[in-house]
Amino acid sequence: MNNSKGNDPRIVLQSVLATSTDSFENMSTKTLNDTVSDITVTITTPMYLYAWITLVNILVFVVGTLGNSLVIAVVLKFREMRTSTNFCLVNLSISDLLVMAICQSTALIEFYAKDRWLFGNILCQMIPFLEILVTHASILIMLGISYGRYFAVCYPLESYSTCSRSRAFMMMASAWILAGISAMPFIFMSHTETAKFTNDNTEVTVCRTHISEVWQRIFIVVSFVVFFVIPCFILAFVYSRTIYTVITESKKIENVTNVSKQNSMKSRQQLVVMLLMIVILFFLLVLPMRIVILWLVFGDPRTIVSLGFEGYYNIIWIARVLQYTNSAVNPIIYNVFSIKFRKAFAKLLFSNKRQKRQLSLTSSGGRTAIRYSFVKTSIKETEFH
């Protein structure tokens, strides 16, 4: 193990491996404590861990906060962007902002506090709940969006008569309610407790999410299946049918000279590709953390111990950063694959600059005109006298 110099206290390996700063990293600690109870090696956090964890998280936080704020702003400001699909994407942006503002920020604070919990028992219970809430809500919203696109592409006439903005709002509200209900058990599984971290037996407050009882393990498995495995298969089926229909319709329209139909088909293709990329990246970026969860709950504690402090922390933070990256990448996808979003972003960002520039030119032109009039008047008055 690399003992780098620093101001942080020497952390006992037992405490590090038995605890974590995320609602999922410390789910099964009883067996692990028994396994490493005799370990008394003290270690410090290497500086490279501080460096890469800090830099990557700051980058993800800045990009994600700015990007998701822009998505919300353009949809609310521009009337042409206020579609049912875009309002669903706004909900995704809201959930992503919550992840970065609450989950990511508290995780970083806890990392720098050497796993000490500084926010009280209520937030210890609420933050895991909020993390699961926004994750499950994102999955349900993506299912709703994807089904809406499938219905609109494969059954356009029925979609025109049945799909509306009110139905989209009802779907989003239902998604948040169902996600909240599914996350409720984490309120009862999380709590603060005291632990000894340093070699002088100083007691500190930590936040734990214990998964030791049978019903808790069953709940973790059911949540993984219901909110990850099943949605993955559903979305694979929905998008395979949607893409097949789009390709078939595109071949029919290739020889048609109607420009409006061709443009409509191109817009539909762009939207389908954009949504497909959102779904693919979501599952790729969230999957590592789901695997880590199952590993910590059902894996052999001796395997975790064998990784050592650095190996354990690197795995945990790589999985965590990937999950946070999912909250930052969607606005980039919108900009790359959607011409409408790209134009809306540019219009929002540069319209204010243009207005300020025009105002500046108008103001300076006005001052010039006033001065010129004053000069002319002075000349005339001079000539008159």
Side-chain angles (χ1 to χ4, degrees), residues 6 8 21 26 36 43 53 70 78 91 103 109 115 165 176 206 227 248 263 285 294 320:
D8 55 307
T21 58
N26 48 20
V36 297
I43 55 177
I53 289 174
L70 281 175
F78 302 124
N91 272 258
C103 303
I109 292 172
D115 270 351
R165 189 176 298 179
W176 283 101
V206 295
F227 289 97
T248 304
N263 291 336
L285 294 174
L294 296 175
R320 177 188 283 169

Side-chain angles (χ1 to χ4, degrees), residues 136-172:
H136 289 180
S138 297
I139 293 172
L140 294 174
I141 291 170
M142 283 192 295
L143 284 171
I145 295 174
S146 302
Y147 177 75
R149 284 298 91 198
Y150 164 76
F151 206 60
V153 171
C154 299
Y155 307 99
L157 294 179
E158 295 180 26
S159 173
Y160 181 80
S161 60
T162 58
C163 293
S164 64
R165 189 176 298 179
S166 61
R167 287 178 179 269
F169 282 117
M170 289 178 60
M171 182 273 292
M172 289 183 286

